[in-house]
Amino acid sequence: MTILENAQKILEQINETKDNFQLALKSVKSKNDLESVRLMFLSKKGEIQRLFSVLGKLGPTDRPVVGAELNAFRAAAQSDFELVQQSLLTAEKIKDFDVTLPGRMPIVGSLHPLFQVLDEIKIIFTEMGFRVEQGPEIESDFYNFEALNIPEYHPSRDMQDTFYLPDGYVLRTHTSPVQIRTMENQKPPVRMIAPGKCFRKDTPDATHSPIFHQVEGLCVDKGVSFADLKGIVQAFAQKLFGQEMRVRFRPSFFPFTEPSAEYDFSCIFCKGNGCKVCKKTGWLEISGAGMVDPAVFGFVNYDPDVYSGYAFGMGVERIAMLKYGIHDIRIFYENDTRFLNQF
Ligand code: PHE
């Protein structure tokens, strides 16, 4: 036989082996079948290896051509084999799967209790005609203090309370700067609330956290009075806690309101009769409020002879603690699912 005839013959054998291999692979039904195919074609004593051993009979021109063909065949055969092996494994897993087992429920998260309360607060105020405004958490000294008539020597500017940042910026210590930003961009009438994060250098304890949430309220129009402020806060308290909720105002001081007040809700635990939580007073302190100081109007070019307004703040944690009977503020931030799952 000539060298050329030899090459022709091996190529034919390769093609024949390819067909046989594919046929054998197609009829594989079990691991044992698969192992027979491996032994017959892919093992050291298998068909493919045998074809390699006759390469030596070829001449130097044919050997590389046929060799390449054989190499390609071996690689393709190996990968086809692995595909079948993989699908056998998968089929086996499915066979072992017990369809009668109870399903596994995916864990569904829920809104954090603070944000559930915040949503309620937003709904109550938007129903009463307030718009929801937002401002930055990194605030300039101007908006956080200056424009709110908080002079340089005021104790709330104390390094001990405020997180100061470079270049005259602070982490806002309250949501009141949003009052200024809103009035700057809008002519009266204004009715807005501004919910958001606030920051103070407080050591965490049962009632303090360096990060907390406030909702600011502001209403400016012609003829707005302290009675309107009391009416709105009272209406809010009753919508959130029920008709029997009472509100009281006590004189206080804030640089950006005049007159200023602090307001309390009647204790929801003892219904105002006096208990441990309200320290026997029957009242729980909520936050500050008052009539917008004319000096503040000066910063936003509102005419204090034409317009008047009220502003109030409220601590969201405070309200959530009352609503859910929580006695330690820190639990809001611990992400303990045993706590969070209750909401
Ligand atoms: N910004 C004040 C605080 O953080 C609360 C407040 C808001 C008081 C609006 C008066 C008017 O304590």
Side-chain angles (χ1 to χ4, degrees):
M1 214 182 272
T2 65
I3 287 173
L4 184 73
E5 281 171 329
N6 260 337
Q8 205 62 48
K9 219 175 130 202
I10 295 181
L11 282 173
E12 271 163 26
Q13 282 178 18
I14 291 175
N15 279 333
E16 207 177 304
T17 313
K18 274 185 188 171
D19 290 345
N20 291 340
F21 173 73
Q22 286 303 336
L23 273 177
L25 204 56
K26 272 210 186 90
S27 61
V28 164
K29 298 236 156 47
S30 66
K31 271 184 171 172
N32 282 342
D33 294 350
L34 192 69
E35 180 59 7
S36 313
V37 172
R38 192 188 69 79
L39 286 171
M40 192 183 306
F41 293 94
L42 294 163
S43 68
K44 282 213 177 92
K45 289 184 180 150
E47 288 291 301
I48 296 176
Q49 201 51 46
R50 195 188 56 77
L51 288 169
F52 271 105
S53 64
V54 291
L55 269 188
K57 290 184 188 159
L58 297 178
T61 31
D62 289 335
R63 204 180 297 143
V65 180
V66 179
E69 178 70 19
L70 206 45
N71 272 323
F73 172 38
R74 183 168 57 183
Q78 185 63 37
S79 87
D80 286 352
F81 176 86
E82 279 162 17
L83 276 179
V84 174
Q85 191 175 41
Q86 200 51 53
S87 64
L88 264 187
L89 282 175
T90 318
E92 207 162 83
K93 270 191 207 143
I94 292 174
K95 212 169 70 220
D96 288 345
F97 184 73
D98 182 354
V99 289
T100 64
L101 282 175
R104 231 176 279 161
M105 274 297 275
I107 298 167
V108 180
S110 60
L111 211 53
H112 191 281
L114 272 182
F115 285 84
Q116 291 186 26
V117 171
L118 201 50
D119 275 355
E120 270 188 73
I121 297 174
K122 280 190 209 165
I123 288 168
I124 292 172
F125 278 107
T126 48
E127 280 174 357
M128 296 196 292
F130 287 73
R131 221 161 74 175
V132 180
E133 299 285 354
Q134 277 188 325
E137 289 166 7
I138 294 176
E139 195 48 285
S140 71
D141 185 278
F142 176 78
Y143 288 107
N144 197 76
F145 295 125
E146 184 105 13
L148 287 161
N149 199 32
I150 303 176
E152 241 189 290
Y153 48 81
H154 193 273
S156 72
R157 286 198 175 209
D158 197 314
M159 298 288 283
Q160 252 131 50
D161 291 334
T162 306
F163 287 106
Y164 281 92
L165 301 173
D167 304 324
Y169 285 92
V170 299
L171 293 183
R172 69 174 174 197
T173 56
H174 50 180
T175 43
S176 299
V178 188
Q179 286 185 33
I180 306 296
R181 288 181 174 275
T182 306
M183 287 190 282
E184 264 183 351
N185 291 319
Q186 198 183 316
K187 292 278 148 243
V190 172
R191 268 180 165 226
M192 61 125 233
I193 57 163
K197 277 194 184 65
C198 304
F199 309 84
R200 285 183 205 174
K201 275 192 182 169
D202 279 325
T203 306
D205 64 21
T207 55
H208 293 87
S209 160
I211 302 180
F212 56 99
H213 298 77
Q214 284 189 338
V215 175
E216 192 77 11
L218 173 73
C219 168
V220 183
D221 203 348
K222 288 176 182 155
V224 174
S225 73
F226 205 101
D228 296 316
L229 168 63
K230 290 183 80 169
I232 281 288
V233 174
Q234 172 83 42
F236 165 74
Q238 290 181 332
K239 280 178 196 245
L240 192 66
F241 288 108
Q243 253 352 84
E244 69 278 17
M245 176 60 68
R246 283 165 298 126
V247 175
R248 80 172 179 186
F249 284 72
R250 291 174 286 112
S252 186
F253 174 80
F254 295 99
F256 39 95
T257 45
E258 182 58 35
S260 299
E262 253 160 275
Y263 63 93
D264 306 332
F265 287 177
S266 53
C267 179
I268 58 153
F269 300 107
C270 62
K271 305 271 176 271
N273 295 322
C275 67
K276 232 171 76 186
V277 180
C278 61
K279 298 195 186 84
K280 302 245 183 292
T281 62
W283 296 97
L284 294 165
E285 214 179 292
I286 300 298
S287 185
M291 299 306 290
V292 180
D293 195 297
V296 172
F297 283 152
F299 281 101
V300 295
N301 291 321
Y302 279 14
D303 185 347
D305 292 330
V306 180
Y307 296 107
S308 59
Y310 62 76
F312 57 85
M314 64 179 69
V316 182
E317 280 81 352
R318 196 83 230 264
I319 289 177
M321 286 166 85
L322 294 181
K323 197 164 162 62
Y324 298 126
I326 295 166
H327 295 290
D328 194 321
I329 195 173
R330 289 168 291 194
I331 198 155
F332 285 126
Y333 315 109
E334 282 167 0
N335 284 336
D336 185 335
T337 49
R338 290 169 302 179
F339 168 71
L340 295 175
N341 280 341
Q342 296 176 46
F343 298 91

